[in-house]
Amino acid sequence: MLFKKLSVILFVIIFSNANAQKLELGKVSIAELQEKVHPKDTSAVAAILFKKGKVSFEYDQNAGFLAITEVKTRIKIYKKEGYEWANKAVSYYADSNTNEKVSFSDANTYNLVDGKIVKTKLKSDGEFVEKINKYWSRKKITMPNVKEGSVLEFQYVVRSPRYGSLSDWYFQASIPVNYSEYKTNIPEYFTYNTNQKGFFSPKITVEKRPNSIVLLSKEREQTSRVAHTTFSSDKIDFIETHSTYLSENLPAMKEEAYVNNIDNYTSSISHELSMTKFPNSIGKSYSTDWESVAKTIYEYDDFGPELNKTGYFEDDINKLIAGLNIQNEKIETIFNFVKTGVKWNENGGYSCDDGVRTAYKNKTGNVAEINLMLTAMLRYAGLTANPVLVSTRSNGIALFPSRNAFNYVIAAVETPEGLILLDATEKYSVPNVLPLRDLNWFGRLIRKDGTSTEVDLMPKIISREAVNMGINLNSDGSADGKLRMQLTNHAALEFRKGNLATSKDNYLEKLETNYNNIEINDFVRENDVDLQKPIVENYSFKDNKSIEIINDKIYISPLLFLTAKENPFKQETREYPIDFGYPKQDKFNINIQIPDGFVVESLPKAINIATGENVGAFKYIIANSINTIQIAITKDINSAIVPADFYEVLKDFYQQMIDKQNEKIVLKKI
């Protein structure tokens, strides 16, 4: 009996040790290399077998405290589509005064060849540095000899004196994660706010442990004719808080239609410094709420002082607004002047790189230079203008107070009717019609006195797409007709951004392909750059593929090539909001001419459905008289953001719309 108990204990120890070994670099097993699909997600192109991170602090007598981030990762590649996981990039602050460093090590690719494990090491030509902008660079590696079935491993270390906010740790990814562990060893001198996101909470353990710093010093003494150097050391004891965050068997975060930024809902943790208290010194508080975050940013040398610079644009603005007394005229005139006069260099951030004066002189600048310049000009013109800090969609929603929560800045004019929001980096934008990248829930307006207030960035105005289509049906199953399409507000802005730089021939080729290979002629577009007017397109078409003839009957979907085929919402459930970007109305007015020798046998029934809570509505009206069928279809999405608990209702709503669009008009031969 005792032998059996000892055997069980021994088995548990051996089994535990075997598992622990798998979570160390260099311990790749044949079983991992033989695995063909992920056991819990057979569609996965790759998986993170483990990812372990640790943040600790090291004291340097010259540089002070350094935050040391160490990350070890093992990845399994299942399919060719997963090869992108063989590339890893780590961004770092590249300012020469900061001395932040990134180093990769233990980077190897493992393959199974004739039943044996073959290791291929990363060579120097697989590692390189890429400059992002004035402040940031990234170190990248591309793993060698990657194949379906490969297992990849690498480690990187970031040494940084920038401990204001630790790097965010993501437990989830777009592929399954088997094991994710994150540790922080934080000295008592630092207090961080810890924020969690996502729908999977890690298991957390916390303990206090003693640690110490040894300070070395030397003194030179001169006594009579002899010089002596004496060495001494001082030991400083302190307490560290050791926290471990552990998650296992996390599903892949899968993209779906109308997701703002999947990172907003990915299980993760972040740390923002709220206080430092070093020995024999007064404690210092940092940004702990949105007011203090905004005030801190405003006081940065490359923000507030740049906003207050004058003397470089006054003469030009005086000429520009001479004789203008109406507020909106001043706003639009100055806004257009900046949009057309200073080109955006595609660099983001809320800090100026070269400064507003240089940007104005060189006619190019980053986001901050352009929009702070715009704000200053509007103020000079007598308007109540202030900057608004924004977190773009790619940066994620600014959920928690942090100086890193924002990465962009726009301008706002306060009026009795409300705020007018402006972004002069977008040449197709008009007042209160911001580019989609800016439409990310809330921003923060900062006034001259440093006070701030939350700003709702989501549009309230409806963007409309209106289509009028006349269709002549032919007895051979073809159709020809004319179409007129009109877009307003954000829909027009997105269209101009996406299409105006494309040649007419390429655009029409793409349009014909997208519309079931129709033939387009007599194409005319109106108001390309007249931003105050809607985009309008007119063309004639011939469609040979959208109509069926079966047993002398014609079957036609009223929208022909515009008919939606698939529901964009495919998941059974959804944990994160549906983000449409802006409210929108789609309206179709269609007239179908029935060919000679045919009459209507059946028509789809009219419907009028709504989601409830004024989120969405769909109306479908159809009628016929003698040889003409008239259809009016209207779809309204009234809310830019719809909560996740509305997903099932919205999914069903879309399915009903799609089913109705695909119902056939049936004509019979007489």
Side-chain angles (χ1 to χ4, degrees):
M1 188 69 176
L2 180 60
F3 175 75
K4 287 185 178 180
K5 286 184 179 180
L6 289 173
S7 296
V8 171
I9 293 170
L10 185 61
F11 171 77
V12 171
I13 292 172
I14 293 171
F15 181 78
S16 299
N17 286 340
N19 276 332
Q21 286 177 349
K22 291 180 183 178
L23 301 183
E24 293 301 326
L25 298 182
K27 302 293 184 179
V28 174
S29 68
I30 290 178
E32 288 172 324
L33 288 164
Q34 288 176 330
E35 192 172 79
K36 300 298 183 183
V37 295
H38 190 270
K40 295 189 176 182
D41 184 356
T42 57
S43 66
V45 298
I48 296 175
L49 301 182
F50 76 79
K51 181 182 174 186
K52 299 170 70 176
K54 184 177 76 171
V55 176
S56 56
F57 285 73
E58 179 183 291
Y59 188 78
D60 183 289
Q61 286 191 224
N62 297 316
F65 276 103
L66 301 175
I68 314 299
T69 303
E70 304 171 69
V71 179
K72 300 176 182 180
T73 308
R74 178 183 294 166
I75 297 171
K76 169 71 178 183
I77 305 296
Y78 295 112
K79 303 175 184 179
K80 289 181 180 179
E81 293 83 356
Y83 284 4
E84 63 181 279
W85 286 90
N87 303 312
K88 178 63 182 178
V90 179
S91 299
Y92 62 97
Y93 204 69
D95 181 73
S96 58
N97 297 321
T98 305
N99 203 28
E100 194 166 69
K101 295 179 179 178
V102 176
S103 60
F104 279 92
S105 63
D106 298 318
N108 299 293
T109 300
Y110 296 86
N111 289 295
L112 198 60
V113 180
D114 297 329
K116 295 182 179 180
I117 298 175
V118 176
K119 180 171 74 172
T120 307
K121 293 184 178 181
L122 176 71
K123 295 181 180 179
S124 58
D125 60 359
E127 181 175 332
F128 50 96
V129 174
E130 181 181 80
K131 187 174 178 62
I132 301 173
N133 56 38
K134 177 180 177 181
Y135 299 104
W136 289 91
S137 292
R138 61 169 67 99
K139 183 166 282 192
K140 303 175 73 173
I141 60 169
T142 299
M143 299 295 290
N145 198 25
V146 177
K147 305 173 183 178
E148 291 181 76
S150 297
V151 170
L152 320 175
E153 288 189 340
F154 56 82
Q155 174 177 336
Y156 65 86
V157 177
V158 182
R159 299 176 61 85
S160 175
R162 302 173 70 247
Y163 47 73
S165 58
L166 309 181
S167 296
D168 293 352
W169 183 263
Y170 286 89
F171 295 96
Q172 284 181 281
S174 60
I175 55 176
V177 179
N178 293 3
Y179 183 94
S180 182
E181 175 188 281
Y182 182 56
K183 294 183 176 182
T184 58
N185 301 340
I186 299 176
E188 63 182 79
Y189 311 126
F190 303 94
T191 302
Y192 286 88
N193 291 329
T194 304
N195 303 306
Q196 293 185 48
K197 291 191 298 187
F199 303 97
F200 293 91
S201 297
K203 179 183 177 182
I204 305 172
T205 57
V206 180
E207 60 178 323
K208 304 287 186 179
R209 293 184 187 177
N211 204 341
S212 61
I213 298 170
V214 176
L215 301 178
L216 301 176
S217 61
K218 63 179 181 179
E219 291 184 7
R220 184 87 170 165
E221 294 182 354
Q222 184 77 34
T223 58
S224 63
R225 298 178 181 178
V226 181
H228 297 277
T229 300
T230 58
F231 295 89
S232 62
S233 63
D234 294 309
K235 182 181 178 185
I236 300 175
D237 296 316
F238 61 92
I239 299 297
E240 277 187 338
T241 301
H242 287 222
S243 302
T244 300
Y245 306 86
L246 173 62
S247 287
E248 295 183 88
N249 301 319
L250 293 163
M253 291 294 291
K254 295 182 178 180
E255 291 277 6
E256 200 191 24
Y258 305 112
V259 176
N260 176 314
N261 180 339
I262 200 73
D263 285 349
N264 293 325
Y265 317 108
T266 302
S267 180
S268 63
I269 192 165
S270 63
H271 292 79
E272 176 80 5
L273 186 64
S274 64
M275 178 178 288
T276 55
K277 177 65 172 70
F278 298 109
N280 304 316
S281 65
I282 299 173
K284 182 178 180 181
S285 295
Y286 294 85
S287 304
T288 55
D289 55 41
W290 288 119
E291 283 281 350
S292 55
V293 166
K295 191 173 187 301
T296 299
I297 291 173
Y298 195 87
E299 291 172 352
Y300 286 164
D301 290 342
D302 45 18
F303 192 92
E306 290 287 336
L307 181 63
N308 297 325
K309 285 181 180 177
T310 59
Y312 64 96
F313 62 73
E314 281 87 339
D315 290 343
D316 292 333
I317 297 300
N318 287 335
K319 294 175 185 176
L320 198 65
I321 64 173
L324 297 181
N325 298 312
I326 299 174
Q327 173 183 267
N328 286 351
E329 288 182 349
K330 287 185 178 180
I331 293 172
E332 290 182 15
T333 301
I334 295 172
F335 184 45
N336 289 333
F337 175 72
V338 177
K339 279 197 305 175
T340 56
V342 186
K343 184 180 179 182
W344 183 33
N345 61 16
E346 302 293 326
N347 289 335
Y350 53 67
S351 300
C352 294
D353 287 341
D354 300 316
V356 290
R357 291 178 185 272
T358 301
Y360 190 72
K361 178 183 177 183
N362 294 339
K363 300 186 182 304
T364 183
N366 71 359
V367 167
E369 287 155 351
I370 290 173
N371 285 325
L372 292 182
M373 177 193 306
L374 171 63
T375 304
M377 291 177 178
L378 293 167
R379 286 180 177 179
Y380 179 75
L383 300 162
T384 306
N386 292 295
V388 177
L389 295 167
V390 170
S391 175
T392 60
R393 286 174 167 253
S394 63
N395 193 56
I397 300 167
L399 293 173
F400 310 109
S402 165
R403 295 178 299 282
N404 295 326
F406 302 110
N407 70 323
Y408 203 89
V409 62
I410 61 174
V413 178
E414 296 184 67
T415 74
E417 295 76 29
L419 288 179
I420 297 175
L421 302 176
L422 308 160
D423 184 352
T425 66
E426 178 49 68
K427 65 179 180 179
Y428 297 124
S429 177
V430 295
N432 270 338
V433 178
L434 298 171
L436 188 63
R437 61 178 173 269
D438 299 356
L439 307 182
N440 197 28
W441 293 32
F442 297 100
R444 196 86 194 169
L445 181 146
I446 318 177
R447 298 185 179 87
K448 291 180 181 179
D449 60 3
T451 61
S452 66
T453 187
E454 188 175 79
V455 173
D456 186 354
L457 297 170
M458 303 311 291
K460 303 298 182 290
I461 56 175
I462 301 289
S463 295
R464 290 183 166 84
E465 177 177 357
V467 174
N468 292 304
M469 185 159 58
I471 303 170
N472 295 309
L473 281 181
N474 302 311
S475 58
D476 64 355
S478 65
D480 52 74
K482 292 186 177 181
L483 184 146
R484 177 181 174 84
M485 183 271 294
Q486 180 173 293
L487 299 171
T488 68
N489 299 323
H490 289 90
L493 168 58
E494 290 301 302
F495 180 91
R496 287 182 169 110
K497 280 189 62 178
N499 297 296
L500 293 194
T502 305
S503 71
K504 180 180 177 181
D505 288 344
N506 288 340
Y507 174 75
L508 290 180
E509 183 180 349
K510 177 183 175 183
L511 198 63
E512 289 177 335
T513 302
N514 291 344
Y515 286 166
N516 200 23
N517 293 310
I518 63 172
E519 180 184 322
I520 293 177
N521 293 293
D522 307 319
F523 178 84
V524 177
R525 184 188 292 145
E526 303 170 23
N527 309 325
D528 280 18
V529 293
D530 190 345
L531 306 184
Q532 299 301 324
K533 295 180 180 179
I535 279 280
V536 177
E537 287 188 343
N538 290 280
Y539 54 85
S540 58
F541 62 85
K542 189 172 184 63
D543 186 349
N544 295 309
K545 296 188 176 182
S546 300
I547 302 160
E548 292 179 296
I549 296 181
I550 303 173
N551 297 328
D552 291 330
K553 292 183 180 181
I554 296 176
Y555 296 82
I556 174 175
S557 299
L559 287 172
L560 287 182
F561 48 85
L562 299 177
T563 304
K565 300 295 184 183
E566 287 189 348
N567 191 334
F569 303 112
K570 302 185 185 333
Q571 296 180 14
E572 288 298 317
T573 59
R574 177 156 156 169
E575 302 291 346
Y576 31 88
I578 301 91
D579 189 331
F580 291 104
Y582 46 84
K584 187 178 180 183
Q585 181 187 78
D586 295 333
K587 196 167 188 176
F588 301 88
N589 287 307
I590 303 160
N591 281 283
I592 302 175
Q593 294 296 314
I594 300 172
D596 292 338
F598 286 83
V599 294
V600 172
E601 179 177 277
S602 64
L603 296 175
K605 291 182 179 180
I607 64 168
N608 188 356
I609 58 175
T611 61
E613 299 186 28
N614 197 35
V615 171
F618 179 72
K619 185 182 289 186
Y620 182 108
I621 301 171
I622 187 167
N624 76 292
S625 60
I626 309 176
N627 64 342
T628 304
I629 302 171
Q630 294 98 21
I631 305 103
I633 301 173
T634 305
K635 181 187 81 172
D636 293 293
I637 296 295
N638 301 312
S639 301
I641 300 172
V642 181
D645 57 10
F646 219 75
Y647 178 73
E648 191 173 337
V649 172
L650 202 57
K651 181 180 178 181
D652 181 65
F653 172 73
Y654 265 76
Q655 193 59 53
Q656 288 187 68
M657 287 194 297
I658 290 164
D659 291 344
K660 180 55 63 174
Q661 288 184 39
N662 283 277
E663 286 184 12
K664 305 293 186 181
I665 296 170
V666 182
L667 306 178
K668 65 180 180 180
K669 197 169 187 178
I670 56 174

